[in-house]
Amino acid sequence: MISTALVTLLVLIALAIPVAAALGVLGLILEAAYSQLPLVRAMGEVAWSASNEFLLVSVPLFVLLGEILLRAGFAERMYGSLIQWVSWLPGGLMHSNIATCGIFAATSGSSVATAATVGTVALPQARRFGYNERVFLGTLAAGGTLGILIPPSINMIIYAVLTNTSVPKLYLAGIVPGVLLMLLFMLIVVLLCVVRPAWGGQRVIATWPERFRGLAHLAPPAGIFFVVVGSIYVGIATPTEAASLGVLASLVLAWWKGRLSRAMLRDAIEGTMKTTAMVMLIILAAYFLNFVMSGIGLTTALTAFIEGLGLPPAWMLLAVILFYVVLGCFMETLSMMITTIPIVAPVMFKLGYDPVWFGIIVILLIETALVTPPVGLNLFVVQNLRRTGTMNDVIIGTLPFVAALFAMLALLAAFPGLATWLPAAFG
Amino acid sequence: MLDRALKAADWLGLRAVWAGGALLVAAALTVSVDVLARKLFAVSLGGADELSGYAFAIGSAWAFPFALLHRANVRVDALYERLPPKLCALLDILAIVALGVFAVFLARYAWDVMATSWSLSSRSNSALKVPLWIPQALWVSGLGLFLATLVLLLARALRALAGGDWAWIRATLGARSVVEEAEEETAYARALERKPR
């Protein structure tokens, strides 16, 4: 039964059947082949309850928030003021790329949106100030991935829904690794530029009064962060309510910046609804498939099989990491999560791994997937923003930062407290 | 005839997305007002979360046809992009068939859910006591439109196949490459860049 299911799924996916259809059809096939009961009749109920699940409502709201922020146009000023704070370091503007990504990540739940927003602002500077273009591009593609590690995070919500983990705890758990990863990225830039000073371009040295005056431009992202993430911890709002408040706040911000218009809103809505439909169709199919799988005992069989392998937990973790790194090279990240987490996560929990900690591991793996060729979306986003040169520049420039992601994974495996300490302290 | 019907589906799909998006924005505002009223004035309107759940279900179902026509359904193209164009076209049609099979079952059993709510006059288990068939009917209508769009696309694709119109199949049904994906993600950022303030 396990091998039939696996082979069928792989064939469907390899034939480029849409992921949602592949999962749904696999569910139908398994039901017809192995079930005594007409499980398929429950499809409507399963779909309806998934469709109006309150926590899932936050997904389109966070997507919408990102789409509005992208168009609200406060990234330029933010970038300008961060330059004054961090660009005296060897590597100059590349540090403000990373720092702007980190701060924008605290308002946006998407890595692609982060890379696109910051990239638009930063790229024109690369040539003007004589930076090594490859490394410069790398800081944007990799820095962008912080979007889903530093809360809010769309991927964390999907993980929370799939594994029944608390969103506030996941958000808290992402903060320390997020800041640490940001510093690791900056450390890599410093190291590269100390070894090859020519890569560093022009540094910017600002005076303290200039720096403090610039802080005003960090107010909009700080405000959004407080509304969207702060409200959850102060106990005012659930994640979905926080996302709603975030949408409201971003609309006000866009209006204040003179960027709110009907055309802008329509664009933002079309983008949001397309992503939402894509994710929801896969979720409906995955819920149905999981329902069938547990109905015919496949879930239990699968878990028993993996446990029967008798791998020690540490090896199992290594296997899971390898699995996601490889899969991440070929698959869009949200569909990868929805397809695999319902199977992988319970096994890891049974082995004694902490659900919140494992969630952060998964997010780091998704970040890696976003910057590994051939289909790392962030690489393409950055390449697309620049328009000239070859894709190879972006890939090579991002490699050192992929090393940082692996270092972060290793750190987190060695010191789980990096993720679990903050939620425990507040929880 | 078929082309006109497809055009109509496209037109309808776009309107459905706007309507669904408007529902979603309205839900966000309602929930915000609810939270603010609760915290600032200790008044609860109640039911905002329930209504936003319905808005989400209806909005996402109404967006299915639009996502389909914009080729937003994720496909893994590792093998696909290495195949000859004619084989790809066949896989594109197979993709529509597979989506169609899933959609038939989904629409069929979603209809049952609504029909049951209707015949039992079920109401939601909350203060609002919403007659469940109302949001469910709107939700099913989205799934129905999705199915109808799939059928139209399949019929048109088969005609293209018979006429050897590989280009049409590629353009309308082909898997979206990651390059196209990135193109879309950056379209707005690019527009901003061109008109500096």
Side-chain angles (χ1 to χ4, degrees):
Chain A
M1 187 159 67
I2 295 177
S3 44
T4 317
L6 204 61
V7 170
T8 314
L9 181 64
L10 286 179
V11 169
L12 289 172
I13 296 277
L15 289 178
I17 302 290
V19 174
L23 299 180
V25 168
L26 177 63
L28 290 168
I29 292 175
L30 289 178
E31 197 258 5
Y34 298 107
S35 175
Q36 316 293 331
L37 299 165
L39 294 175
V40 67
R41 287 196 197 154
M43 194 195 254
E45 277 303 332
V46 170
W48 172 247
S49 61
S51 288
N52 64 68
E53 153 114 40
F54 190 54
L55 183 52
L56 273 179
V57 182
S58 63
V59 173
L61 294 178
F62 276 122
V63 177
L64 182 60
L65 171 63
E67 295 268 348
I68 297 173
L69 287 181
L70 174 67
R71 294 164 169 82
F74 64 83
E76 299 152 44
R77 298 280 176 80
M78 197 171 112
Y79 186 70
S81 79
L82 284 170
I83 285 177
Q84 298 173 330
W85 283 91
V86 293
S87 294
W88 54 273
L89 287 160
L93 291 186
M94 294 193 273
H95 293 288
S96 24
N97 293 354
I98 296 168
T100 310
C101 283
I103 292 187
F104 193 80
T107 64
S108 160
S110 148
S111 286
V112 175
T114 305
T117 314
V118 181
T120 314
V121 183
L123 268 176
Q125 319 290 335
R127 276 181 219 121
R128 203 157 87 204
F129 294 108
Y131 282 88
N132 175 291
E133 211 171 356
R134 289 180 170 175
V135 185
F136 198 91
L137 296 167
T139 57
L140 292 169
T145 67
L146 291 168
I148 57 171
L149 181 58
I150 298 177
S153 163
I154 295 169
N155 296 61
M156 280 188 197
I157 290 176
I158 297 281
Y159 177 87
V161 170
L162 296 174
T163 61
N164 267 322
T165 312
S166 134
V167 173
K169 280 194 177 160
L170 281 167
Y171 276 13
L172 276 177
I175 293 176
V176 174
V179 172
L180 213 56
L181 183 60
M182 187 173 94
L183 294 177
L184 271 180
F185 285 159
M186 291 169 87
L187 180 69
I188 292 221
V189 172
V190 170
L191 289 180
L192 288 175
C193 293
V194 166
V195 178
R196 292 280 169 86
W199 289 359
Q202 203 174 317
R203 295 194 212 171
V204 176
I205 296 171
T207 62
W208 284 101
E210 279 174 338
R211 286 182 184 167
F212 282 106
R213 261 196 309 262
L215 279 185
H217 300 307
L218 296 184
I224 300 271
F225 178 77
F226 180 76
V227 168
V228 177
V229 179
S231 63
I232 297 177
Y233 295 114
V234 188
I236 300 180
T238 64
T240 304
E241 291 169 346
S244 300
L245 290 171
V247 169
L248 179 64
S250 64
L251 284 173
V252 172
L253 186 66
W255 170 77
W256 180 60
K257 289 265 171 195
R259 291 270 171 84
L260 188 64
S261 68
R262 259 180 76 164
M264 177 268 214
L265 211 53
R266 204 180 54 208
D267 271 4
I269 282 178
E270 283 176 18
T272 304
M273 295 315 284
K274 204 173 353 172
T275 309
T276 307
M278 181 276 274
V279 171
M280 274 314 287
L281 198 61
I282 299 176
I283 288 205
L284 296 187
Y287 271 45
F288 170 66
L289 175 61
N290 288 334
F291 179 78
V292 171
M293 278 176 57
S294 48
I296 61 174
L298 183 56
T299 315
T300 339
L302 204 59
T303 331
F305 169 75
I306 297 175
E307 277 167 357
L309 294 175
L311 284 175
W315 283 101
M316 197 61 213
L317 179 63
L318 209 60
V320 165
I321 290 177
L322 199 68
F323 170 74
Y324 277 112
V325 169
V326 172
L327 198 61
C329 290
F330 301 101
M331 211 168 162
E332 190 274 337
T333 53
L334 279 172
S335 41
M336 175 166 92
M337 282 185 75
I338 302 167
T339 315
T340 58
I341 294 290
I343 314 276
V344 174
V347 174
M348 299 307 280
F349 299 168
K350 236 181 171 178
L351 288 172
Y353 286 114
D354 179 71
V356 171
W357 173 85
F358 184 63
I360 303 302
I361 292 277
V362 168
I363 297 295
L364 281 169
L365 289 166
I366 300 290
E367 291 186 68
T368 311
L370 283 169
V371 289
T372 41
V375 299
L377 188 50
N378 267 24
L379 300 172
F380 287 86
V381 164
V382 171
Q383 167 65 16
N384 201 279
L385 282 173
R386 121 181 136 126
R387 282 278 148 134
T388 53
T390 70
M391 188 64 203
N392 266 342
D393 295 334
V394 189
I395 295 175
I396 293 171
T398 308
L399 279 180
F401 302 100
V402 176
L405 277 161
F406 282 119
M408 190 63 226
L409 275 166
L411 273 175
L412 199 56
F415 308 104
L418 291 174
T420 53
W421 171 72
L422 208 53
F426 275 80
Chain B
M1 172 62 196
L2 254 181
D3 281 317
R4 275 199 10 223
L6 256 183
K7 226 176 197 154
D10 194 18
W11 185 89
L12 208 58
L14 189 58
R15 267 58 185 184
V17 156
W18 291 345
L23 267 182
L24 193 70
V25 174
L29 298 181
T30 316
V31 171
S32 299
V33 169
D34 184 49
V35 178
L36 295 174
R38 200 172 66 213
K39 283 299 148 187
L40 299 178
F41 312 110
V43 189
S44 181
L45 304 172
D49 47 355
E50 183 185 345
L51 291 178
S52 69
Y54 299 146
F56 172 54
I58 297 163
S60 45
W62 282 1
F64 286 162
F66 180 76
L68 172 68
L69 291 170
H70 285 79
R71 303 184 292 147
N73 293 304
V74 181
R75 301 166 68 183
V76 174
D77 61 359
L79 180 66
Y80 175 93
E81 63 175 13
R82 286 171 180 75
L83 295 175
K86 289 188 183 175
L87 205 52
C88 285
L90 291 179
L91 289 182
D92 292 337
I93 294 177
L94 189 64
I96 293 296
V97 173
L99 273 174
V101 170
F102 178 52
V104 165
F105 281 90
L106 189 60
R108 154 97 179 67
Y109 290 106
W111 175 273
D112 277 3
V113 170
M114 182 199 64
T116 312
S117 298
W118 168 262
S119 61
L120 300 177
S121 322
S122 321
R123 284 169 181 268
S124 66
N125 188 14
S126 69
L128 292 182
K129 299 224 175 303
V130 175
L132 279 175
W133 69 269
I134 299 176
Q136 285 167 349
L138 292 168
W139 174 62
V140 171
S141 71
L143 300 178
L145 186 60
F146 180 49
L147 187 57
T149 312
L150 275 165
V151 171
L152 283 175
L153 265 185
L154 180 61
R156 179 65 181 81
L158 289 176
R159 201 176 79 188
L161 186 66
D165 190 355
W166 307 102
W168 185 90
I169 299 181
R170 176 97 211 167
T172 322
L173 306 175
R176 227 165 32 146
S177 70
V178 66
V179 177
E180 289 173 85
E181 190 85 23
E183 189 94 24
E184 202 157 279
E185 294 291 345
T186 52
Y188 194 82
R190 187 167 296 289
L192 261 186
E193 183 186 320
R194 270 198 301 269
K195 50 167 191 208
R197 299 196 305 150

